[in-house]
Amino acid sequence: MTMHARRRFLVRSAAAVGAVAASGARAEQATPPGIPDWMKAPGADTGSQPYGTPSRFEAGIIRNIPKGLKQYTSASTRTPLQDLDGILTPNGLFYERHHGGIPDIDPAQHRLMIHGLVERPLVLTMEDVRRFPSESHIYFLECSGNPGFEAIKGKTASDLVGLISCAEWTGVRLATVLREAGLKPDAKWVVAEGADAAAMTRSIPIAKCLDDALLVYSQNGERLRPQQGYPLRVFLPGFEGNMSVKWLRRLNVAAEPGYTREETSKYTDLMPDGTARQFTFVMEAKSIITRPSGTQRITPGFNEITGLAWTGRGRIRGVQVTTDGGKSWREAALQEPVLNRALTRFRLPWTWDGQQTTIASRAIDETGYVQPSFEDLTAVRGLKSFYHNNAVVPWRIAADGEVANGYA
Amino acid sequence: MTMHARRRFLVRSAAAVGAVAASGARAEQATPPGIPDWMKAPGADTGSQPYGTPSRFEAGIIRNIPKGLKQYTSASTRTPLQDLDGILTPNGLFYERHHGGIPDIDPAQHRLMIHGLVERPLVLTMEDVRRFPSESHIYFLECSGNPGFEAIKGKTASDLVGLISCAEWTGVRLATVLREAGLKPDAKWVVAEGADAAAMTRSIPIAKCLDDALLVYSQNGERLRPQQGYPLRVFLPGFEGNMSVKWLRRLNVAAEPGYTREETSKYTDLMPDGTARQFTFVMEAKSIITRPSGTQRITPGFNEITGLAWTGRGRIRGVQVTTDGGKSWREAALQEPVLNRALTRFRLPWTWDGQQTTIASRAIDETGYVQPSFEDLTAVRGLKSFYHNNAVVPWRIAADGEVANGYA
């Protein structure tokens, strides 16, 4: 959008808002607000929170924790996407998926062992790891079951695709550490093991290990949280989240994958013909409208439609939005900078006429891939699969403004 | 840096690290680490923290709160820059500067009044504000007294320049809201007032208000924290932090500035000749090495030098680093993307020979401005000034590896 076009957009938008915002404002204008109580006495001391927390009025914005599970050792919580703005997820609201609970690791005792097909097996302390050259990147992380194919009955954006978050990660290139150990010629896979009670183990192709894979120790500026792998994790940009092994203790360089539980009985995609796709690493292009979204309510007039798009293949090229149930699609504006394998915020100005309708978004990535409808996706993949559902999410808007899951 | 050059850099660096990291690693390698206790039983439940907190082993990474002040109503805390990576500051560690304590504002009761030289005075609720078209940007925020000219005796990077942080801010363009109210022809200033006990009031030139100024309600994805102006603040990219009025309740559009306390007796720059500079809005280019930095200790061999650079004038063009007390300067690598008015992370590989030396960084911004030495800055500005000290910060490294303030 040129600056000139942008300016015209703002003028139009402001006028549209005027119909709604200003009407309320004018009603109140007869009685300018008085001095509120919180101006009449000093507030809380500076530094009263050595590590800050949100306002008590935002206490409801928390992880979306499923209720009534038989156990919470192997479970997940979702990011409240519909309550967030921008592209970054605060660490306190980053989605969780654990298979053996959250270990409480002493970083002084933690070790990373690198062995197998290497010239010089290594056992590194956290100090050793932090001494390597570092890099920082903003990347999304998404669970491959976000949602499962049968799990599209949720109410909110978080219920449906809340197993995605985005952060700035800092660490060392895995390639740098592997070169330090010295790869032997037949090194084709690296089997990564976590120090949790599940000993989560996944196999990573050597090409990814020598490309953009990181050993990460910091997230959004500070050290990783326990839920995200403190003190050390693998991070594989664009790959299914499960492979970015948390609480990393071991890298076994091998000629073959480990064929572990999490890449045989789980994290494979059962196809209609009974065969299964295995090692489906990359998270394909996807998007969701977060506002307005399920359980929210809108009123007629100007409503900005905004949401998130992402692709494991690189950058988002565009996002199209329909406000008429798929009959027509308009190009949304992408918030700059559009980053490689990060969430991308999109926005579209929209004036709602108060009639029932369905809205939805679809992402197009830099490879030209277009996010499919649920019908198109399942025509190929069937309904026996659980992982890698990246279908369009429709929201139905009722005449009273209530927004609901368009699948349900 | 081209990909090819980068590859060579990594190989060199890894070799350099080898001398140190691998030696420790090899010593340990005879006894591979056993199964740690935290793998022997399930960890904490998934979702046991609805809103997460850092590991208990990182409990020392908190805001840098001055001890023994007479009062904490008008005071500041600093971000622990030396303990952070990347460019983003977690909201819990964002620096604070309050003049009347931190108000506890109910967003449902909060109002923003826009009056003065406007066609349509407005009183907006938070819902009204959130209904306008939104934008998100990563920007730094810096207090203009970071540090004062007399306050360069601190020990850590945080002590010296910890009144700076960086976040992704979401809100509406101030210009959009002002157009909604309709500016009268003689509107030249907007006087912004906060809803704290100090009724913090600053005057903003209309050009800035119609340029990139925002009304911000979210920070790093979630709603603003109380310490940062919940539920609403002005945000003026690149301007001194004090002007980005928090807890915003009033915008008085005027022909003249308000000449308030905070732009007359405070936040002006007393020059050697006894006159004072007023309305010195822009924070000039600056940088600091955060690792290694004061109170840290290094050992000989490879040490990555890393730090932060920023400029209120736009983008950082380059950062130069000296490792020989200023005799020579080398170009550091800048972490991409280099964003407008955001912190920029720089890094330089360095092999320390174990001799006493002094290291420092200096930033150059896209206007060509070079961060001055303390001597050059004070030759012009004298020592009576308090604000806008953007001088180079040197770190002295002793032969035993102890890092200390090079000014002290």
Side-chain angles (χ1 to χ4, degrees), chain A residues 88-122:
Chain A
L88 294 165
T89 313
N91 290 342
L93 297 173
F94 209 91
Y95 88 85
E96 298 171 275
R97 173 69 174 106
H98 315 303
H99 295 73
I102 309 154
D104 178 35
I105 299 183
D106 178 353
Q109 290 184 52
H110 188 71
R111 296 292 181 274
L112 170 63
M113 179 162 72
I114 299 153
H115 66 135
L117 299 175
V118 295
E119 301 293 343
R120 294 171 296 280
L122 299 174

Side-chain angles (χ1 to χ4, degrees), chain B residues 152-160 293-296 395 403-405:
Chain B
I152 54 175
K153 302 294 179 196
K155 290 183 176 178
T156 66
S158 178
D159 292 344
L160 283 163
S293 67
T295 74
Q296 294 175 347
W395 298 115
V403 187
N405 182 347

Side-chain angles (χ1 to χ4, degrees), chain B residues 218-249:
Chain B
S218 284
Q219 179 180 352
N220 287 334
E222 65 188 0
R223 300 292 187 279
L224 284 174
R225 298 287 180 86
Q227 291 86 348
Q228 293 307 318
Y230 181 84
L232 188 67
R233 76 179 302 168
V234 177
F235 196 94
L236 306 176
F239 276 25
E240 58 183 20
N242 178 260
M243 296 180 68
S244 286
V245 173
K246 298 188 284 192
W247 315 295
L248 183 72
R249 71 184 297 262

Side-chain angles (χ1 to χ4, degrees), chain B residues 9-33:
Chain B
F9 161 76
L10 288 176
V11 173
R12 273 208 315 279
S13 302
V17 172
V20 177
S23 66
R26 277 174 203 136
E28 286 206 47
Q29 201 246 316
T31 48

Side-chain angles (χ1 to χ4, degrees), chain B residues 59-117:
Chain B
I61 300 185
I62 53 174
R63 288 180 169 127
N64 180 0
I65 304 170
K67 287 170 190 67
L69 296 186
K70 282 185 199 148
Q71 52 78 24
Y72 287 84
T73 299
S74 178
S76 60
T77 69
R78 291 158 193 265
T79 292
L81 299 174
Q82 67 280 352
D83 295 316
L84 301 183
D85 296 298
I87 63 166
L88 294 165
T89 312
N91 290 343
L93 297 173
F94 209 91
Y95 89 84
E96 297 171 274
R97 173 70 174 106
H98 315 303
H99 295 73
I102 309 153
D104 178 34
I105 299 183
D106 178 353
Q109 290 184 52
H110 188 71
R111 296 292 181 274
L112 171 63
M113 178 162 70
I114 300 153
H115 67 136
L117 298 174

Side-chain angles (χ1 to χ4, degrees), chain A residues 21-40:
Chain A
S23 65
R26 277 175 202 137
E28 288 205 45
Q29 202 243 318
T31 47
I35 303 297
D37 285 345
W38 43 77
M39 292 186 76
K40 295 177 182 168

